Amino acid sequence: MFHKHYETLRIKMIVMTLGFSLIPLLALGVTIYYQFNNTFQNKITESLRTLAQNRKSSIELFFDERISQLNTIAQTHSFERLKEESFLTKVFNVMQSRSKSFIDLGVIDSDGNHLAYVGPYSEKLKSVNYAHEDWFQAVQSTGVYVSDVFLGFRKVPHFIIAVTSVENNRVWILRATINSAIIDEIVSGAQIGKRGDAFIINRKNILQTTPRFAGNLLESPNSPDFSSSRGTTIELMSFKGEESLYGAIPISNPQWVLVIREDPQEEMALLSGAYYTEALILGFGVILVILGTVFTTRLMTRRLIEAQKDKAKSEDLMIQSSKMAALGKMAAGIAHEINNPLQIIGDQAGWMKDLLESEDIKKSENFEEFDQCINKIERQVNRSREITHRLLRFGRRMETTQEMVDINHLLAETITFLENEAHFRDIQIQTEYDELLPKVSTDPNQLQQVFLNIIDNAIDAVGQSGQLRIRTSTDLKDPKELVVQISDNGPGISKEALSKIFDPFFTTKRADEGTGLGLSISYGIVEKLGGHIEVESVEGKGTTFYVRIPNV
Ligand code: ADP
């Protein structure tokens, strides 16, 4: 019942402490997790955005450079000169010396006639008329034209840049073919990680560069359609059941769209290290909190139980001592009451004895009988008086006094209290008193209590059939002390118990037989009286207590 109460209290304490400490800890862990996740995802999208913008700028710069190169040639040289093939070859060689990406260069008049051409297909292209081609129309209206990528005769991906110039109100066109390998190179710089991809599509969703995974050049890519994108798109999208992070950014001229694909798993993998560390710290924290809580609550409840037990015992003790005090008073009262009639009976018996001395009664044939009766009455009255005196002394034991005490006498009296018990258990009490023992100034009542405790313990230890030896002497080494030696041939005290027998509440007896207070109280009393208690014990042989009393 007692322990069950503390067990529920302990569980309540554990649950409450764990609740108060673990909930904030876990809340903190979850918040950190989400914050971290968000920040990292933002970082991933931001870096994808920056990557897409950088690549877009590089591609646009590439086109701007080529267009302005062609424009410079068209503006700085006359149509007449450029249509001379030898001059056009010179110009082409200069251009190629700066950039190998130029494949050929041609001059076309306003009617679409290819007037001059430098490049690998001079036979095929020289006499071609472009008047009906789409790009011819387009360049005339916009001034600059960049074609989509196509394979051409040599099956090498390339595209056309054409610019116009006006001379004498006549428009003519400078047209160059450019190898698109450079564009592929710029785009491939954005193919990050093991599964990342990057490619360019035109406005009809046809691949203009060769992707790593997303399909083949000049086909539609295996990705969501970004061909109509107007602004930058950064989005987590699913395509054919596979989720990827896509970044799409339109390029202004030509009207293409750069698409970059990243594997979110691969990007987030970097974060998993941080998650593991967080989980580890959190797990460690949780274990520490649980262990700490269990440990401290166990400690606290143990202390509480001990305190409660101590309290209960000291309450028991107080009840016991107040009972004893009441008993002492009662005994003294009764003894006092009985003493008076006893006194009268004794006096009357004495008077009767005196009367028996008179002549007539002496002659009576019952004189002997009378005399014996009166003697018996006197003996029994004396015995009763002895008992009432003892009771009176017992009553007085509660008060502390200081008087000259004959220790031998005090011991003899104490033994009389326990004689019956010893006799009943077939225990002999041998005494060996030092007849020359001096009287000492001490508290006889308290000292008697000490002797009672020790002799009582000895009788308990012997149990049945044994011997007790009580000896008094002056200490030869230190004549300032008297020694009372109380030995028994009981089972002795184990080494482990020997160090504890003077501790309060230490007992090896059943709860209803021993309180564990006798020796601790005795120890306190003897110390207070200026003396000392020592013990020697051999297991299996017996125990001897030495009570040393100052010889003053
Ligand atoms: P209690 O008698 O109530 O147990 P005490 O303080 O008087 O308390 O004694 C403490 C313990 O010391 C006893 O329980 C017992 O184990 C041990 N003890 C005391 N005297 C003897 C003795 N003469 N022989 C063996 N054990 C003893």
Side-chain angles (χ1 to χ4, degrees), residues 453-462 468 486-494 497-498 500-511 513-522 535-537 542-545:
N453 280 338
I454 296 175
I455 299 169
D456 197 32
N457 275 343
I459 291 174
D460 274 352
V462 172
L468 255 62
I486 301 164
S487 317
D488 65 69
N489 65 348
I493 305 168
S494 72
L498 204 60
K500 297 183 195 152
I501 56 168
F502 294 110
D503 291 351
F505 306 114
F506 174 80
T507 180
T508 55
K509 297 176 190 168
R510 286 209 328 248
E513 283 179 354
T515 58
L517 286 171
L519 284 182
S520 91
I521 290 174
S522 303
V535 60
E536 272 173 12
S537 186
T543 309
T544 303
F545 279 87

Side-chain angles (χ1 to χ4, degrees), residues 117 120-121 124-125 128 130 150-156 158:
Y117 174 81
Y121 311 112
K124 282 183 182 160
L125 297 177
V128 173
Y130 292 113
F150 58 98
L151 288 176
F153 301 114
R154 281 198 303 170
K155 303 288 173 212
V156 176
H158 57 268

